[in-house]
Amino acid sequence: MTALERTTEPVPDSEDGLVRVRLDLGYDGTDFAGWAKQPELRTVEATLADAIATVFRLTAPAQLTVAGRTDAGVHARGQVAHTDLLRRTWLEHEGVAQRQLRGFLPVDIRLTGISAAPAGFDARFSALSRRYSYRICDDPAGVDPLRRRDVVWHRRRLDAAAMNGAAALLLGEHDFASFCKRREGATTIRSLLEYTWHRDPTDLLRASVTADAFCHNMVRALVGACVAVGEGRHELSWATATLRAARRSSDVTVMPAQGLTLEEITYPADAGLVDHARRARRVRTIPNAQ
Amino acid sequence: MTALERTTEPVPDSEDGLVRVRLDLGYDGTDFAGWAKQPELRTVEATLADAIATVFRLTAPAQLTVAGRTDAGVHARGQVAHTDLLRRTWLEHEGVAQRQLRGFLPVDIRLTGISAAPAGFDARFSALSRRYSYRICDDPAGVDPLRRRDVVWHRRRLDAAAMNGAAALLLGEHDFASFCKRREGATTIRSLLEYTWHRDPTDLLRASVTADAFCHNMVRALVGACVAVGEGRHELSWATATLRAARRSSDVTVMPAQGLTLEEITYPADAGLVDHARRARRVRTIPNAQ
């Protein structure tokens, strides 16, 4: 998940000989130690960077910027990343890049698109919103084996209506410190745009959670809060009180990574890209935040 | 898949000290060499039979009869099997059997129910119908990695409407020899009760196929026939002509096992069980079958 913070990363201009390339992808996070590169661990970033280097014949792994820095075990269906390539490198391989990358990528990564990005595009800072799903099965018989990689089993029955009620109380722009792993100097103010729970006929509960951006662990903590309400451990009012406290509490469970999937990143229309990225780089404060 | 044939297996009477136990289960077939026991291979039947023997303290693996004998790599969500246990063995462990079996079974098998069956119940011969799904993704980008275990990728785009048209032509009671692996002495006459194709918003095509019973490879061959029509290799009329030929043809592709899932078995209400099992044991013939 992406924290909003100041960076000095330049947005490359097409005239300096670089092309910004947008990559759309999905992955089964089960066998990855998350998105971000780490020495000696299998990560999505390193796997993708190596495949790009191979296909475009780079001398080093590609440098990638990502919209949602997913943790170990978290999945993605609509992840977006970018990398900058020399124009001539891009032009030389553009026609075969997609097919070749698919050949080099393992079965747990799916490249759905690769294209030259519009001027001012930044996979991370241009993003208007991120949408995640969280999937829980509360059937006492356990999870359908065919869904065991992206569904978490919960041993107590959950009240989806109560969870929906709690979720609605958290919507809006707030300091989400109660649901975030704090990082020095980073804000925990976010706009929660959508948070709903839905139970399907197979007893699968699915949360859809959208925000402009999320702090670290935030979706999984928001899910944990609604699960506490859904199993009757807390009243609805507890969710509001916890939000208002704006302080991390051991009372909020961070749910397992496996149930979480990054579904979609939205971006402004091409014309709005530069302006939006500039705004997104600013650290936000809420006047008189409670 | 189950062939209809004569058997001499007795339906145990409750007075002889045996209880017929019904097991409802699902599995991810990826890492199994199918349902049926085979020496030195990991099969669903052997895994389940061993777990039952452990929980009920039997001296040998339980003997199982199954509704749908799935092939290697085929999945199940609504599989049904039965086994006969001494009444006192059942009564001694009945209360804890479900929880203990779940503990002994691997993550790729899910036991959804275990119960004493009504008089006359036979998991195989009492079944009125079997419903399977087949899932294909024809997105050029490949299969969503989270669904790669139960969805087959098809490299050419498919016309779901044409596939639906071909499927409708195959409905009814016919000799399905063109779509079956022939076995000496076994009939290939079946009633195809439902066969539809549906495309969802993520470019996943799903077939729903229901029959009183299926011959070996029959669903995967019926899917292959519609795929041939869906990619424009054959006209609708070819599906009808192939059915009428009633002879196995190399023109009909048997699709990969991985896309196939046994979804549901239906049984008559308790009172009709004995009669239905007796009828199902008879070998069928169609007078003047074409």
Side-chain angles (χ1 to χ4, degrees):
Chain A
M1 271 154 270
T2 304
L4 301 178
E5 53 186 325
R6 294 171 198 281
T7 75
T8 53
E9 189 193 356
V11 177
D13 190 284
S14 60
E15 293 174 28
D16 70 358
L18 289 179
V19 172
R20 179 150 290 184
V21 175
R22 171 177 168 157
L23 299 138
D24 287 84
L25 67 153
Y27 39 87
D28 172 353
T30 310
D31 300 323
F32 289 106
W35 167 270
K37 245 183 228 185
Q38 296 174 74
E40 298 183 33
L41 290 178
R42 184 173 187 258
T43 66
V44 183
E45 184 181 22
T47 307
L48 183 59
D50 287 346
I52 293 171
T54 305
V55 167
F56 289 97
R57 301 176 192 230
L58 311 180
T59 52
Q63 294 294 315
L64 291 164
T65 299
V66 77
R69 251 174 78 102
T70 50
D71 280 338
V74 175
H75 319 290
R77 234 175 237 110
Q79 179 69 284
V80 182
H82 79 240
T83 189
D84 296 323
L85 296 176
L86 288 173
R87 182 166 297 278
R88 67 174 134 71
T89 304
W90 168 247
L91 292 175
E92 196 178 322
H93 301 280
E94 181 185 4
V96 295
Q98 183 143 345
R99 193 176 49 77
Q100 288 191 351
L101 275 170
R102 283 180 194 147
F104 280 108
L105 288 170
V107 290
D108 46 0
I109 300 184
R110 177 201 201 191
L111 184 76
T112 53
I114 177 169
S115 57
F121 176 82
D122 184 295
R124 178 177 175 190
F125 288 106
S126 301
L128 290 175
S129 68
R130 281 97 175 149
R131 179 167 64 84
Y132 283 84
S133 294
Y134 198 93
R135 292 178 173 86
I136 303 177
C137 170
D138 65 348
D139 184 330
V143 176
D144 174 0
L146 287 166
R147 299 303 300 273
R148 70 186 188 278
R149 292 184 160 231
D150 69 335
V151 175
V152 161
W153 182 61
H154 194 74
R155 65 173 62 244
R156 279 180 288 271
R157 282 288 190 180
L158 296 167
D159 177 345
M163 293 164 80
N164 238 332
L169 295 173
L170 303 170
L171 292 175
E173 187 174 56
H174 304 289
D175 183 344
F176 282 95
S178 308
F179 304 97
C180 299
K181 207 161 156 182
R182 188 168 280 292
R183 287 199 315 140
E184 272 315 306
T187 176
T188 47
I189 297 166
R190 295 290 187 279
S191 286
L192 188 62
L193 304 167
E194 179 220 8
Y195 186 7
T196 55
W197 283 93
H198 171 79
R199 182 188 287 274
D200 84 0
T202 68
D203 275 344
L204 197 71
L205 283 112
R206 187 173 69 84
S208 186
V209 196
T210 309
D212 52 350
F214 290 95
C215 316
H216 190 220
N217 277 355
M218 182 171 152
V219 185
R220 290 158 58 192
L222 289 173
V223 168
C226 285
V227 164
V229 172
E231 62 180 29
R233 261 193 295 131
H234 287 295
E235 299 292 320
L236 282 188
S237 57
W238 168 83
T240 320
T242 303
L243 174 67
R244 290 225 176 106
R247 192 184 315 172
R248 190 78 183 85
S249 150
S250 61
D251 219 18
V252 176
T253 305
V254 173
M255 294 287 288
Q258 162 198 0
L260 189 61
T261 303
L262 171 55
E263 298 283 358
E264 188 185 15
I265 314 284
T266 59
Y267 293 99
D270 294 359
L273 280 169
V274 179
D275 270 7
H276 179 77
R278 197 171 294 136
R279 278 198 305 279
R281 279 199 173 79
R282 285 202 302 263
V283 171
R284 280 185 298 181
T285 53
I286 297 182
N288 307 315
Q290 305 181 41
Chain B
M1 271 153 272
T2 302
L4 302 180
E5 51 185 326
R6 294 174 199 277
T7 74
T8 54
E9 190 192 356
V11 177
D13 190 284
S14 59
E15 293 173 32
D16 71 356
L18 289 179
V19 172
R20 179 151 288 186
V21 175
R22 171 177 169 157
L23 298 138
D24 288 83
L25 67 152
Y27 40 87
D28 172 354
T30 310
D31 301 322
F32 288 106
W35 167 270
K37 245 184 229 186
Q38 296 174 73
E40 297 184 33
L41 291 177
R42 184 173 186 258
T43 65
V44 182
E45 183 181 22
T47 308
L48 183 60
D50 286 348
I52 292 172
T54 305
V55 166
F56 288 95
R57 304 178 190 228
L58 310 180
T59 53
Q63 293 295 316
L64 292 164
T65 299
V66 76
R69 251 173 79 105
T70 51
D71 279 338
V74 175
H75 318 290
R77 235 175 236 111
Q79 180 68 285
V80 182
H82 78 241
T83 189
D84 296 323
L85 296 176
L86 288 173
R87 181 167 297 278
R88 68 175 136 66
T89 303
W90 169 248
L91 292 176
E92 196 179 324
H93 301 281
E94 181 184 5
V96 295
Q98 181 142 348
R99 191 175 51 75
Q100 289 191 350
L101 275 170
R102 282 180 193 146
F104 280 109
L105 287 170
V107 290
D108 45 1
I109 300 184
R110 177 202 204 192
L111 183 76
T112 53
I114 176 169
S115 56
F121 177 82
D122 183 297
R124 179 175 175 194
F125 288 107
S126 301
L128 290 175
S129 68
R130 281 96 175 149
R131 180 167 63 85
Y132 283 83
S133 295
Y134 198 93
R135 293 179 172 84
I136 304 177
C137 171
D138 64 348
D139 184 330
V143 176
D144 173 0
L146 287 166
R147 298 302 301 273
R148 70 186 188 279
R149 291 182 161 235
D150 68 335
V151 176
V152 161
W153 182 61
H154 194 74
R155 65 172 63 244
R156 280 181 287 272
R157 282 289 190 178
L158 295 168
D159 178 345
M163 292 163 81
N164 238 332
L169 295 173
L170 303 171
L171 292 176
E173 186 174 56
H174 304 288
D175 183 344
F176 282 94
S178 308
F179 304 97
C180 299
K181 208 160 153 181
R182 189 169 279 291
R183 288 198 313 140
E184 273 314 306
T187 176
T188 48
I189 298 166
R190 295 290 187 279
S191 286
L192 187 61
L193 304 166
E194 180 219 9
Y195 186 8
T196 56
W197 282 93
H198 171 78
R199 183 187 286 276
D200 84 1
T202 68
D203 275 344
L204 196 72
L205 283 112
R206 187 171 68 84
S208 186
V209 197
T210 308
D212 53 350
F214 290 95
C215 316
H216 191 221
N217 277 354
M218 181 171 154
V219 185
R220 290 157 59 191
L222 290 173
V223 169
C226 286
V227 164
V229 172
E231 63 179 29
R233 261 192 295 131
H234 287 294
E235 299 293 322
L236 283 190
S237 57
W238 168 83
T240 319
T242 303
L243 175 67
R244 290 225 176 105
R247 192 184 317 173
R248 190 78 184 87
S249 149
S250 62
D251 219 17
V252 177
T253 305
V254 173
M255 295 287 288
Q258 162 197 0
L260 188 60
T261 303
L262 171 56
E263 298 283 358
E264 189 185 14
I265 314 284
T266 58
Y267 293 98
D270 294 357
L273 282 168
V274 178
D275 269 7
H276 179 75
R278 195 171 297 137
R279 278 198 305 279
R281 279 199 173 80
R282 284 203 302 265
V283 171
R284 279 187 298 182
T285 52
I286 296 182
N288 306 314
Q290 306 183 37

